[in-house]
Amino acid sequence: MLTTLKKKLKTGSVLQAVGLTVIILLIGITMQVMNGNFLSAANMEVMAMNLIFEGIMAIGMTFVIIGGGIDLSVSAVFPFAEIIVAKLMIEAGLPIFPAVLITLALCLGIGLINATLINVLRVHPMVITMGMMLTLRGINLAITNGKSIAGFSDDFLFLGQGTFFGINLPIVFFLFAAITLGYLLKNHPYFRQLYFIGGGERAARLSGVKVEQVKTVVYMLSALLAGIAGIMAAAQYGAAHWSHGNLSELKAIAAVAIGGADVNGGSGNVFGTVLGIAFLAVVHNAFVSSGINTFWYDAVNGLMLLIAILFSKYIERKNARAVLSAKQMKLDESGGYPKANMAEQRA
Amino acid sequence: MDALQIRNVSKSFGENKVLSDINMDVRKGEVHALIGENGAGKSTLVKIIGGIYARDAGEILIDGEAVDFKDPLQAMRMGISIVHQELSLVPNATVAENIYLRREITNKAGFNDWNKINQQAAEVFQRINLDVDPTELVGMLSVGMQQLVEVAKAIALNARIVIMDEPTSSLSENEIPDLFRVIRSLRDQGISIIFISHKLTELFEISDRITVLRDGEYVGTVDTAASSSDEIIRMMVGRHLGDLFPQHASQIGDVVFECRGLSLFGRAKDVNFKIRRGEILGLSGLVGAGRTEAMRALVNADKRSSGQFWMNGEEITIENPQDAISKGIYYVSEDRKSSGLFLNSSITWNVAMASLDRMKKALGMLDQSKMRQTAEGFIKTMDVRPADQRVNTGNLSGGNQQKVLLSMALCTEPRLLIVDEPTRGVDIGAKSLIHKRLREIAEQGACVIVISSEMPEIIGMSDRILVFRTGHVSAELDNLRGSVTQEEIMQKATHN
Amino acid sequence: MVLVLINVIIFAIIGIARPTAFLNWLNIKAILSLMSYDLLLAVGITVVLILRGIDLSIGSVLALTSVIMALMMRADMPVLPSLFAGLVLAVVCGLLNGVLIAKLQLLPFLVTLGMMSLARGIATVMTSGQYISFPNTAEWFIAFGRAEIPFWKTETMTYGFPVPLLIALVVVAVFGYFLTNWKPMRQMFFVGQNAEAAKLAGLSVVRITIIGYVICALFVWLASVLMISSNRIGYANYGIASEMRAIAAAVVGGASFFGGSGSIPGTFLGVLMLALIGNGFILLAGDPNWQQATTGLVLILAVAVDAIRTFRERKN
């Protein structure tokens, strides 16, 4: 038991998860001591709701990043879903169910386009998803003329504002998605392939992994989650607006990276991402409740991302060093060319 | 019935014929060694058997039945597994998961049944008598252990033929017996093993028969017990006819450059040598023996862990390739495409690239007419074709690319020129021109170090030869009269 | 050449469809004036693309420098020290990007994505999201941003050339000359084309890469100076999504994500094309909102063309 624990601690990701939990608790305790209301149920809920939509996107981003990719377009898919569902319900008068279904189908289509372009053009996913983000954001702006759309039915608003056993629905969905997708990622052979793709596409292909197909599925999953987040957000805010979700891709990536995933692919898990988003939420809340200028928040997010990728690099270097050390041992034991012999040859 | 029969298999890449009329039979339950010099075609043959490359001609029969694989998965299903030289494992997954990738054991709901996967992996290890914890992360294992996991992965799906491409290259001395134990137990279970290695001592220890390839051709197959390492070496090197080399050095001067205690962490250790005016020093050894690594460390292209240098009796430091070039030391990369030339730029820019400091006008503006003139000069002396300095080097043939790469180095007027595989993949005409130019440079008073995997080139060009083995210099041979034999070098490169 | 043709065609289409609204000096001047910022940013991006990098932080650094300079001038600092402070800040941002990318080998887009959020965040903190005006600053500084050099007078109006645009064009032209002819800059193309070969040929790859990011930041600073001089306010939301427009323009103009290519005239034409398309949407559809979507599509299209081009070259 103790040895397996020790063994696990040696790997960077577990160490990072433990460290992260400790830091989150420390911040929480400090805030509680200073302000006294940090651990109140009301504050906990505020804290959880604050980054809940970024959290849902971050789950999809975890899959994408483990597979060696990145999806910047989620921050535009999010308001896109808000707007489409609003247009379908308020302007076209569709009932909830078909409206939501059509919206999600469109989001899946966006993921499919992302993946297809990435697979066919073989360009870095950043570029493709950035172009997609820009295009979608422009479309969002254009089809709404920059105005927000409001006037949802109460039934729809329930999706964002209602509760389930006293917990807000978006939080329920986040937990549900984190647990099911986390379980799938951990245990389903299909999603396990992601680790092999992210670890080395060439080797994965040699072992029979269908790289393109798996990538397509995860980009569609990422877009789908961003779409669900968008629909819930529309219900939560009671309005759809094109500027919602700006920079949310950054928070999602930061959460994944802080949660211990390698930004170059091959490692990470949903639990880490949940910790990462919890960390960001706690930091945000600390800024709000301690009266520090909340505008610091963006700056801190950027800093967190930088620190997370630096840490990721550090782990990578450490691993490379370990491989070289093994080779060095081999060099040391195989012994050099005897000096005396060399002199003899010269003479 | 032989487990695997290869009949008259041929393969070309473009105009380059890499395999012609290969024949080979592998019996059931034997260890069949495949050996040949660098570039003899072993890896290509293996990839054809494993369904990674398609053959141009010939037949492959498994248990007497002709097969035609379209992809590696198909070959795997037919019981052929390859243990590649480069590891294909994912460090962040467990040993068991790596073994069962794409053939996972799942429960009724379609999820991985980790218990069964771990159990079965444990059984595989039991079968080959190996003590590995299947739940361990692969990244936590030593490189040697990972290699053994590769083997386990290869046999986990009832493989009948296991091909191992230099499996010992990353094993340490005390890990090799483990691998051999595994191989023997596989053989005893009736599995055929094709074992590729450069190391003769290993082949004689483990194999039942040995097949030798040379320059993409089949030389012969012998029973290991009835053969000797001398015979195998003779079969490997054969007779290379028609290679004419320039004369050896007419006059060797004083020591110009000396290197002491050069090491690169994990790659090369304690390399020492001196080189004299007018001398060509050849570095021989197998691929991965540390020749290239040591020379890259010399110019500090890869950060060396130790090393002291003297130029004309004065100790010098070499901070980076730029510093090396300014002190008259130039390293020409072995891979002209990925780390030598700028393929989207003209011959002019490539020739001038390392000497831009001498191509400046007022205010540091580049003197393009001087660059053009310089390039024209080199196009003439190196006989680059087409003789047009505006052509992008990406559009030149391999031989002409190599000439431009050499021009880039010569343009800096180096006192110590290090060329790595200067004629790899180059036609005969360009080859002899490059050889002639290298000798001329040496005769004009420079020192030249030639790294080559081609033995006739090493013997034909070098006045002295350093043989590398596993990161060390294993021998220093005087070759001023061209008296060193290929057998002698091979002996020093392969034996302990 | 193709780009010139495309620009001419777009010009002709809008010109024929909306002759009075499009072909009048006020409209053309508006296009050109707005272009000057985008041009400077796109040239900065061209430099990092040549080096096989990317800089997503330019829009935020633009905002941050504008805020710093505006705040200092609001506090009655003289103009030149204020501008200098902005310059120092821009260089620090560029250096930070460059060092993290070149020395520590981190992925450029992640580093600059972090910097994007960091710079924008700091700018927002310093201003609490407010406009920062500087009413007491020297007259000449706020004058030159809107100054014009008259070149033709008729009875009804004076045709003048905006000074900021002139400055931008001159700087970019001079830089373009240096980029192709000055050794330290020309080397960037080779570092971007093949970093390993460049290292072995004795180029200081790390230093050159860092300098590239600093140069990019300098262009951002210049755009920021012209912007606050013309708008007479500093603002933390300046330049949102401008990095996307800049990247699209540079790639349309021949810069490649695979490094080693890109040119200043090409980037100029790319910026012009995006500006014309944007203007065309306003005049033809009456809806400026589609402009952003077009930029995204143009970016994807340019990337596709670039990928196919590179793929063909590799095959050869």
Side-chain angles (χ1 to χ4, degrees), chain B residues 292-313:
Chain B
T292 297
E293 290 81 355
M295 290 304 110
R296 283 180 60 94
L298 194 152
V299 296
N300 226 11
D302 297 322
K303 208 166 166 9
R304 71 177 92 87
S305 39
S306 68
Q308 280 178 295
F309 313 102
W310 284 263
M311 180 74 99
N312 293 324

Side-chain angles (χ1 to χ4, degrees), chain C residues 28-134:
Chain C
I28 292 186
K29 199 172 74 182
I31 299 176
L32 292 175
S33 301
L34 280 177
M35 238 185 80
S36 43
Y37 313 124
D38 275 353
L39 177 63
L40 289 170
L41 296 181
V43 168
I45 279 287
T46 306
V47 173
V48 291
L49 283 176
I50 285 172
L51 284 164
R52 206 174 190 189
I54 196 152
D55 190 348
L56 301 178
S57 69
I58 51 172
S60 304
V61 174
L62 175 82
L64 179 60
T65 48
S66 84
V67 161
I68 290 286
M69 294 188 289
L71 279 173
M72 287 184 75
M73 287 190 273
R74 188 192 184 92
D76 290 333
M77 287 286 277
V79 173
L80 289 179
S82 306
L83 297 190
F84 185 72
L87 178 71
V88 171
L89 191 67
V91 170
V92 167
C93 291
L95 262 181
L96 209 58
N97 279 337
V99 168
L100 288 174
I101 290 163
K103 233 183 159 96
L104 299 179
Q105 303 274 306
L106 301 176
L107 291 176
F109 86 92
L110 278 178
V111 169
T112 56
L113 194 64
M115 178 59 82
M116 170 170 120
S117 184
L118 186 63
R120 179 84 62 199
I122 294 175
T124 317
V125 170
M126 300 181 77
T127 60
S128 305
Q130 304 295 311
Y131 294 111
I132 305 297
S133 61
F134 35 93

Side-chain angles (χ1 to χ4, degrees), chain A residues 330-344:
Chain A
K330 188 181 160 192
L331 280 187
D332 288 341
E333 77 194 20
S334 69
Y337 176 64
K339 294 265 160 59
N341 196 352
M342 196 182 261
E344 186 187 295

Side-chain angles (χ1 to χ4, degrees), chain A:
Chain A
M1 183 62 204
L2 204 65
T3 47
T4 45
L5 190 70
K6 258 189 196 162
K7 220 161 65 185
K8 282 198 168 160
L9 276 177
K10 264 200 283 181
T11 66
S13 61
V14 175
L15 195 68
Q16 206 162 349
V18 172
L20 206 51
T21 315
V22 171
I23 294 172
I24 293 172
L25 288 177
L26 275 181
I27 298 176
I29 292 166
T30 317
M31 295 314 297
Q32 174 70 16
V33 170
M34 280 170 65
N35 295 327
N37 69 341
F38 187 82
L39 295 175
S40 69
N43 189 50
M44 291 297 269
E45 190 176 330
V46 167
M47 200 158 63
M49 280 308 288
N50 225 310
L51 279 175
I52 199 68
F53 301 121
E54 283 85 350
I56 294 171
M57 291 184 229
I59 296 173
M61 192 70 82
T62 311
F63 282 68
V64 176
I65 287 181
I66 291 172
I70 195 99
D71 187 357
L72 302 181
S73 70
V74 287
S75 65
V77 173
F78 175 77
F80 177 75
E82 277 189 4
I83 290 165
I84 294 297
V85 81
K87 281 205 170 264
L88 287 174
M89 290 182 64
I90 297 167
E91 290 176 14
L94 282 181
I96 295 182
F97 195 63
V100 167
L101 224 57
I102 294 173
T103 308
L104 293 182
L106 284 175
C107 293
L108 282 172
I110 293 165
L112 181 64
I113 296 173
N114 275 336
T116 310
L117 287 172
I118 290 164
N119 285 334
V120 171
L121 296 178
R122 297 181 185 272
V123 197
H124 195 285
M126 172 215 35
V127 182
I128 297 295
T129 55
M130 192 165 76
M132 180 56 85
M133 165 170 85
L134 203 55
T135 311
L136 265 189
R137 207 188 266 167
I139 291 174
N140 293 339
L141 177 65
I143 59 180
T144 58
N145 279 319
K147 296 190 190 78
S148 66
I149 307 174
F152 290 109
S153 66
D154 284 351
D155 286 347
F156 180 76
L157 294 183
F158 180 78
L159 285 178
Q161 299 171 0
T163 58
F164 184 76
F165 288 113
I167 307 171
N168 286 43
L169 267 187
I171 301 178
V172 173
F173 177 77
F174 171 74
L175 292 176
F176 169 75
I179 292 168
T180 27
L181 289 172
Y183 187 79
L184 279 173
L185 181 61
K186 202 168 183 333
N187 293 308
H188 198 280
Y190 194 82
F191 290 108
R192 297 300 302 175
Q193 294 183 99
L194 276 175
Y195 289 89
F196 291 82
I197 295 174
E201 266 188 52
R202 237 175 63 85
R205 248 192 211 107
L206 283 181
S207 305
V209 173
K210 293 206 172 78
V211 176
E212 278 77 17
Q213 190 205 61
V214 178
K215 277 189 185 171
T216 306
V217 168
V218 295
Y219 279 99
M220 286 172 74
L221 176 69
S222 172
L224 178 71
L225 285 171
I228 294 174
I231 291 171
M232 289 186 138
Q236 154 92 14
Y237 306 141
H241 191 258
W242 73 280
S243 72
H244 285 166
N246 198 9
L247 282 188
S248 56
E249 85 282 10
L250 180 107
K251 289 166 198 159
I253 295 171
V256 176
I258 292 168
D262 182 344
V263 286
N264 293 308
S267 78
N269 58 63
V270 174
F271 181 64
T273 302
V274 172
L275 278 182
I277 208 82
F279 173 74
L280 290 177
V282 168
V283 170
H284 185 211
N285 192 263
F287 273 107
V288 178
S289 51
S290 59
I292 302 175
N293 191 341
T294 52
F295 289 121
W296 272 110
Y297 188 55
D298 265 353
V300 171
N301 261 338
L303 205 60
M304 290 298 162
L305 179 62
L306 288 177
I307 291 171
I309 54 175
L310 271 171
F311 190 80
S312 192
K313 190 75 186 176
Y314 167 76
I315 299 280
E316 182 193 321
R317 291 226 167 141
K318 216 177 84 178
N319 289 343
R321 184 82 186 169
V323 170
L324 276 181
S325 295
K327 291 199 171 164
Q328 180 68 27
M329 270 168 63
K330 188 181 160 192
L331 280 187
D332 288 341
E333 77 194 20
S334 69
Y337 176 64
K339 294 265 160 59
N341 196 352
M342 196 182 261
E344 186 187 295
Q345 293 255 358
R346 280 207 190 111

Side-chain angles (χ1 to χ4, degrees), chain C residues 174-197:
Chain C
V174 170
F175 178 76
Y177 179 78
F178 271 78
L179 188 64
T180 44
N181 292 298
W182 197 39
K183 184 197 137 205
M185 290 199 178
R186 186 66 194 235
Q187 288 182 332
M188 290 179 177
F189 286 89
F190 300 94
V191 170
Q193 198 183 123
N194 189 339
E196 183 63 22

Side-chain angles (χ1 to χ4, degrees), chain C:
Chain C
M1 270 333 281
V2 181
L3 267 180
V4 176
L5 205 67
I6 294 176
N7 275 314
V8 170
I9 292 171
I10 299 175
F11 195 88
I13 291 174
I14 312 173
I16 290 164
R18 293 281 182 280
T20 45
F22 180 69
L23 294 172
N24 93 38
W25 178 242
L26 280 180
N27 183 50
I28 292 186
K29 199 172 74 182
I31 299 176
L32 292 175
S33 301
L34 280 177
M35 238 185 80
S36 43
Y37 313 124
D38 275 353
L39 177 63
L40 289 170
L41 296 181
V43 168
I45 279 287
T46 306
V47 173
V48 291
L49 283 176
I50 285 172
L51 284 164
R52 206 174 190 189
I54 196 152
D55 190 348
L56 301 178
S57 69
I58 51 172
S60 304
V61 174
L62 175 82
L64 179 60
T65 48
S66 84
V67 161
I68 290 286
M69 294 188 289
L71 279 173
M72 287 184 75
M73 287 190 273
R74 188 192 184 92
D76 290 333
M77 287 286 277
V79 173
L80 289 179
S82 306
L83 297 190
F84 185 72
L87 178 71
V88 171
L89 191 67
V91 170
V92 167
C93 291
L95 262 181
L96 209 58
N97 279 337
V99 168
L100 288 174
I101 290 163
K103 233 183 159 96
L104 299 179
Q105 303 274 306
L106 301 176
L107 291 176
F109 86 92
L110 278 178
V111 169
T112 56
L113 194 64
M115 178 59 82
M116 170 170 120
S117 184
L118 186 63
R120 179 84 62 199
I122 294 175
T124 317
V125 170
M126 300 181 77
T127 60
S128 305
Q130 304 295 311
Y131 294 111
I132 305 297
S133 61
F134 35 93
N136 303 327
T137 205
E139 195 59 39
W140 66 268
F141 181 68
I142 39 180
F144 98 93
R146 293 185 189 174
E148 293 182 5
I149 299 171
F151 61 90
W152 190 32
K153 267 185 187 167
T154 62
E155 280 165 26
T156 47
M157 68 180 290
T158 308
Y159 292 86
F161 202 80
V163 171
L165 177 63
L166 192 68
I167 295 177
L169 284 179
V170 169
V171 168
V172 165
V174 170
F175 178 76
Y177 179 78
F178 271 78
L179 188 64
T180 44
N181 292 298
W182 197 39
K183 184 197 137 205
M185 290 199 178
R186 186 66 194 235
Q187 288 182 332
M188 290 179 177
F189 286 89
F190 300 94
V191 170
Q193 198 183 123
N194 189 339
E196 183 63 22
K199 183 169 104 177
L200 290 178
L203 276 58
S204 331
V205 173
V206 171
R207 200 168 66 204
I208 291 172
T209 308
I210 293 175
I211 290 173
Y213 282 92
V214 172
I215 290 176
C216 179
L218 289 178
F219 276 104
V220 173
W221 169 77
L222 183 58
S224 173
V225 169
L226 297 182
M227 198 176 258
I228 59 168
S229 167
S230 163
N231 293 359
R232 296 173 188 175
I233 39 172
Y235 185 35
N237 282 346
Y238 274 157
I240 285 181
S242 63
E243 64 276 355
M244 306 293 174
R245 278 201 307 281
I247 292 168
V251 174
V252 168
S256 165
F257 284 104
F258 301 99
S261 63
S263 77
I264 300 306
T267 298
F268 173 81
L269 290 174
V271 173
L272 184 66
M273 182 176 141
L274 288 181
L276 283 177
I277 291 176
N279 194 252
F281 266 110
I282 297 174
L283 295 180
L284 295 178
D287 187 352
N289 293 331
W290 280 105
Q291 190 189 347
Q292 206 179 14
T294 331
T295 313
L297 282 179
V298 169
L299 177 64
I300 293 182
L301 208 68
V303 167
V305 170
D306 177 36
I308 293 163
R309 198 170 53 197
T310 315
F311 184 68
R312 279 220 191 114
E313 271 167 17
R314 275 192 199 149
K315 244 178 138 181
N316 284 340

Side-chain angles (χ1 to χ4, degrees), chain A residues 4 7-8 10-14 180 183-200 202-210 213-214 262 265-268 319-339 341-343 345-346, chain B residues 47 52 72-73 76 84 86-94 97-98 101-102 104 106-107 109-114 133 135-137 140 142-143 146 153 168-174 199 264-270 272-274 305 464 466 469-478 492:
Chain A
T4 45
K7 220 161 65 185
K8 282 198 168 160
K10 264 200 283 181
T11 66
S13 61
V14 175
T180 27
Y183 187 79
L184 279 173
L185 181 61
K186 202 168 183 333
N187 293 308
H188 198 280
Y190 194 82
F191 290 108
R192 297 300 302 175
Q193 294 183 99
L194 276 175
Y195 289 89
F196 291 82
I197 295 174
R202 237 175 63 85
R205 248 192 211 107
L206 283 181
S207 305
V209 173
K210 293 206 172 78
Q213 190 205 61
V214 178
D262 182 344
S267 78
N319 289 343
R321 184 82 186 169
V323 170
L324 276 181
S325 295
K327 291 199 171 164
Q328 180 68 27
M329 270 168 63
K330 188 181 160 192
L331 280 187
D332 288 341
E333 77 194 20
S334 69
Y337 176 64
K339 294 265 160 59
N341 196 352
M342 196 182 261
Q345 293 255 358
R346 280 207 190 111
Chain B
K47 284 182 175 151
I52 297 166
L73 214 56
M76 264 183 244
H84 291 279
E86 56 200 296
L87 293 170
S88 69
L89 304 174
V90 169
N92 279 307
T94 65
E97 185 176 7
N98 268 288
L101 172 66
R102 294 321 294 138
E104 288 90 352
T106 54
N107 57 23
F111 292 106
N112 279 356
D113 189 334
W114 293 113
D133 176 4
T135 62
E136 179 87 90
L137 290 182
M140 296 287 107
S142 71
V143 182
Q146 293 185 18
K153 183 179 171 180
T168 58
S169 63
S170 52
L171 297 187
S172 67
E173 296 298 330
N174 51 21
K199 295 176 189 154
L264 178 64
F265 188 77
R267 308 275 182 198
K269 199 186 169 198
D270 198 23
N272 303 292
F273 65 88
K274 289 177 183 171
S305 39
R464 199 150 46 87
L466 293 184
R469 200 188 59 236
T470 52
H472 303 278
V473 175
S474 64
E476 182 176 346
L477 309 167
D478 186 6
K492 302 285 185 196

